[in-house]
Amino acid sequence: MKDISFKILIDIIKYGYYSTPIINYIYKNNTEDDLKYYILLLKSKWKKDFKSAIFYANKVIATTTTTILRELARFELISLYVKNKEFEPAKKQCECLRNNFKNISEYARNLMIPGLKLLNTKYNILNKDFKAYSDNYEENNVDKAILKYSQAREYIKNEEYNKAYELFIDGYFLAKDFPHPTMMCNGLNGAAWWIRKVDKKKALIAADLLEYYIGYYFEDLNYIYNWFDTIFEVRRINKDIKIFECCDVVNAIYHNNSEISIDLKFMKFLFSPVTYYKIDNSLFQYMKNVLNLNDIKKYMTIQSVTLNKLIRKYHLIFSSNQPYEINNEIFKRQIKNLFEKNKEVFLKKTIDLSVLFLATYISYINKPKYSKLPLLKLIFKDDKNKIIKFFSANYEKMYFFNVMMENFHEKILIDNLLNKNNNPQTAEGCLFYLARKKLITELFKKPKNFKEFVFNYFKLSDEEMKVFDVFLRNCVRYDIKWSITPYPKSKIRDFAIKYGLGQKRIALGYYSFEDDERILIDEIIDKFL
């Protein structure tokens, strides 16, 4: 392999193309200069900036000296024109590609054939099919996954949802072999969304795994709002109380995002630790008609403790159709019950709470405000009774403790998908946060100077902490099998060695940032040395 920069390699995997045969072929056979515009093309396409993507595709075609890279860019350009509904330019580029096919290796031709066939099936942009001179492309799991999803959509047209579900799941497992997170999640999203019409339990299994992967693989969440919508709908029809956690994550991500308008349905399941409620029309009608309480007065207030008594008396359980106030109190009870259970586990077992605490804190989108110096001293002193007393103070702290204590793995979710568990197991906490926590606990498996690291971390500003959190998660999520091993240099290397975090992983996290962003990472790293 040629000596191309780690930044180029990280760009490849960061934008969802890593481990595909096309990219493997490209970075083995081209120089970094040749790759520059092609990577910018892929990045723009991933960000759905099709205008820029088309510009860079044309730039590659005009400047590169490598025939294969030029025609691969042309192949992308055809797809981009189709997405923009510019079919005439797409057809012209198809003719150029056809004329140049004889100058491209059989291997490269077979990489492009499945995509061209799919485009032609859907949009009829070719006068005649491109011919593949072998069946090699059929052995490519990337293209097999795409074909599975395409076949699934054909079954959806005939409302054959079970067959479509099987194809989406088959495609997911093919995509997982890359691994290609976006295609994995697209498969699970399609499976959950359509099977919900005929089998809501199967939909919930796929939605659980989808939520886990969103937390594990993605930082830029602007373009996957529809995945959260799928998770919400599946949890709603299953009367799954974890809908509160889904809505909390959506609100935390998109609340101040001008690009996304949050659907009001998400606002109906936002947890609140309030101690009393106003008896609005919905709660009034429910208490009068369902609970037969005729002495209730509309627009008065009711204490949460009174609602709890009613919940116990009438054995109420969570239902998405109940008034918010009832569901919110049921969710509060669940938090408290889980806390009591986790408290017993914590008091009986020897647990390295310091790593779990930091991993949970880093996993959160909106940081808890209470985790400052006094608590850090309490954590490292390891006085279990005082720690329990601290976390039992309110519902937010109890919830944090529950996420901190839960140990849940991807394998369980995959076993559920494969029907290996007669009674599918699920996490009691938020799968989005548990996945993010998993990244950090994996990074700190064998830490050194950990106490110093934690205290330095909590000295960072909010903005520094936000950037540094992404850096730490990227260190693990980009650690895939490569034919080369990147190593950091200078202070980044010193940082990796000092805290026992692994030089390869630190290099991956560092080069996942753009050049100008790395300036801030450099400044942050200085504070840890």
Side-chain angles (χ1 to χ4, degrees), residues 342 345-346 349-364 371 376 379-380 391 400-409 433-434 436-442 444-445 447 450 454 458:
N342 286 323
V345 174
F346 174 62
K349 291 187 177 181
T350 303
I351 299 172
D352 187 354
L353 191 68
S354 58
V355 171
L356 290 178
F357 168 73
L358 181 68
T360 308
Y361 191 87
I362 290 173
S363 74
Y364 269 53
S371 302
L376 293 182
I379 293 290
F380 283 107
F391 281 109
F400 184 93
F401 185 82
N402 290 338
V403 175
M404 186 166 62
M405 290 296 297
E406 186 163 6
N407 186 21
F408 199 83
H409 302 289
Y433 289 130
L434 292 176
R436 285 186 159 204
K437 187 184 80 169
K438 178 70 174 174
L439 290 166
I440 305 302
T441 53
E442 178 69 23
F444 286 97
K445 267 190 172 180
F450 184 70
V454 174
F458 279 98

Side-chain angles (χ1 to χ4, degrees), residues 94-95 98 116 120 124-131:
C94 279
E95 287 304 312
R98 189 192 303 282
L116 291 166
N120 199 40
N124 193 30
I125 61 172
L126 307 176
N127 294 325
K128 58 180 180 178
D129 269 345
F130 282 75
K131 183 180 179 182

Side-chain angles (χ1 to χ4, degrees), residues 10 20 42 160 190 328 348 389 410 418 449 527:
I10 296 296
T20 67
L42 297 182
E160 296 182 58
N328 192 57
K348 289 178 181 178
K389 183 179 180 181
E410 173 196 19
L418 294 171
N449 302 308
K527 298 182 179 184

Side-chain angles (χ1 to χ4, degrees), residues 234-340:
V234 171
R235 297 209 185 287
R236 183 185 64 79
I237 63 175
N238 276 281
K239 300 179 181 179
D240 183 354
I241 198 168
K242 288 204 295 297
I243 196 171
F244 271 96
E245 294 165 328
C246 171
C247 292
D248 177 70
V249 170
V250 168
N251 185 57
I253 294 169
Y254 300 113
H255 180 66
N256 293 316
N257 189 329
S258 59
E259 297 179 27
I260 301 289
S261 178
I262 305 177
D263 195 305
L264 289 176
K265 66 185 181 183
F266 288 102
M267 302 298 101
K268 294 179 180 178
F269 297 95
L270 284 180
F271 169 67
S272 173
V274 295
T275 56
Y276 66 90
Y277 302 92
K278 189 175 183 179
I279 304 177
D280 61 10
N281 188 59
S282 173
L283 183 58
F284 174 77
Q285 294 298 334
Y286 182 86
M287 296 175 76
K288 184 177 180 181
N289 299 333
V290 178
L291 304 183
N292 297 315
L293 300 175
N294 295 317
D295 58 341
I296 297 297
K297 295 182 179 179
K298 194 187 298 187
Y299 304 121
M300 298 292 283
T301 59
I302 185 169
Q303 290 186 325
S304 60
V305 65
T306 305
L307 273 185
N308 259 295
K309 289 178 181 177
L310 294 173
I311 289 168
R312 288 194 299 272
K313 179 180 178 179
Y314 293 97
H315 307 288
L316 300 179
I317 60 174
F318 174 82
S319 172
S320 51
N321 298 323
Q322 284 177 162
Y324 166 79
E325 296 83 358
I326 299 290
N327 285 331
N328 192 57
E329 284 304 312
I330 292 173
F331 187 60
K332 284 165 68 175
R333 292 186 68 191
Q334 175 171 292
I335 291 173
K336 192 167 184 178
N337 290 339
L338 286 176
F339 177 77
E340 293 301 319

